[in-house]
């Protein structure tokens, strides 16, 4: 037998007052970004987030997880400069390095095919489908 609160949840009339009183403020869908590991390590130590962002396309699922291509990528001039800038800015009170590295993460993180993009009204769709529709429109 369901009670009044369960009926309100099922009907979609669960108010903010009921959420605070009975719990369930975060009731609903929880979306975790696919690059949460990069964000986590970036918040701990921004240069480490820059390193992970640089080699993320070369990481494999088998041991040793990192290929020689990833190590070569780390020593490219542009990538090495970004890591050094991030380290120097992080040593200046942490916040400048964090901002610099987060700006690099957001500009370099592509929509990976197979990931879902969700919104409350339309549900979830595949990111690769979205990329195809936006390229046809342009």
């Amino acid at each position: 037998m369901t009670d009044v609160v369960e009926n309100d949840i099922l009907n979609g009339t669960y108010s903010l007052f009921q959420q605070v009183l009975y719990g369930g403020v975060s009731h609903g869908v929880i979306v975790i970004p696919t690059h949460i590991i990069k964000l986590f390590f970036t918040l701990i130590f921004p240069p480490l987030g820059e390193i992970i962002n640089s080699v993320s396309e070369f990481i494999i699922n088998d041991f040793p997880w990192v290929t020689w291509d990833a190590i070569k990528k780390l020593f490219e001039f542009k990538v090495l400069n970004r890591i050094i800038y991030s380290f120097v800015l992080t040593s200046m009170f942490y916040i400048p390095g964090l901002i610099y590295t987060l700006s690099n993460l957001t500009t370099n993180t592509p929509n990976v095919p197979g990931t879902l993009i969700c919104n409350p009204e339309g549900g979830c769709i595949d990111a690769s489908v979205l990329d195809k529709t936006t390229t046809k429109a342009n």
Side-chain angles (χ1 to χ4, degrees), residues 13-117:
T13 59
Y14 195 51
S15 67
L16 181 62
F17 176 74
Q18 288 175 324
Q19 290 176 1
V20 171
L21 188 61
Y22 302 117
V25 174
S26 64
H27 185 269
V29 177
I30 297 175
V31 179
I32 299 174
T34 56
H35 56 280
I36 191 75
I37 302 294
K38 285 190 238 182
L39 291 173
F40 178 73
F41 283 115
T42 300
L43 290 175
I44 290 175
F45 186 60
L48 185 59
E50 190 70 54
I51 291 170
I52 292 172
N53 188 40
S54 299
V55 299
S56 63
E57 61 194 42
F58 297 105
I59 293 178
I60 56 176
N61 292 329
D62 300 328
F63 183 79
W65 299 294
V66 178
T67 61
W68 283 108
D69 293 331
I71 295 171
K72 289 182 210 173
K73 178 79 173 178
L74 282 177
F75 289 103
E76 288 180 2
F77 183 72
K78 183 179 177 183
V79 174
L80 196 58
N81 273 347
R82 286 196 339 226
I83 293 169
I84 291 171
Y85 287 160
S86 178
F87 185 77
V88 169
L89 290 171
T90 301
S91 65
M92 298 174 155
F93 305 113
Y94 176 75
I95 298 297
L98 181 66
I99 293 170
Y100 175 77
T101 304
L102 285 176
S103 69
N104 286 339
L105 279 180
T106 55
T107 58
N108 295 335
T109 305
N111 285 336
V112 178
T115 58
L116 297 177
I117 298 174

Side-chain angles (χ1 to χ4, degrees), residues 110-126:
N111 285 336
V112 178
T115 58
L116 297 177
I117 298 174
C118 300
N119 63 17
E121 293 82 27
C124 297
I125 59 170
D126 191 8

